[in-house]
Amino acid sequence: MHSPERKAQIANRYYAKTTRNAIRAIRNTTDKKAAETSAPKVYALIDKLAKAGIIHKNKAANIKSGIAVYINKLA
């Protein structure tokens, strides 16, 4: 049986990994329409991590900014 702290750690790791995979998927796409469609969902995941304190709010802002820059560069 895991302690409550360990359960939270496992859950936080899962949400962080899921978000990283979503970010990676956007950065690997070359289709601007698909990236624009999935961006709000990824932004919501990032905001959720920041709100829970899993990542810092400034790091969340930097990641979202980087995604926006990448999407705007797509043709």
Side-chain angles (χ1 to χ4, degrees):
M1 192 64 119
H2 293 296
S3 69
E5 295 85 10
R6 180 69 177 139
K7 285 183 181 180
Q9 182 184 30
I10 291 168
N12 289 344
R13 186 180 302 155
Y14 168 77
Y15 290 124
K17 184 65 175 176
T18 303
T19 305
R20 281 197 304 271
N21 287 337
I23 293 167
R24 196 171 293 125
I26 283 185
R27 289 191 174 149
N28 286 335
T29 187
T30 56
D31 182 18
K32 185 170 186 167
K33 198 64 141 175
E36 287 175 338
T37 305
S38 60
K41 295 173 194 154
V42 175
Y43 290 161
L45 288 171
I46 293 168
D47 289 336
K48 188 175 180 181
L49 290 180
K51 187 173 183 180
I54 299 170
I55 61 174
H56 195 273
K57 65 178 184 175
N58 289 350
K59 180 176 178 70
N62 286 336
I63 292 170
K64 291 189 328 187
S65 172
I67 291 171
V69 167
Y70 176 76
I71 291 172
N72 287 334
K73 284 184 182 178
L74 291 174

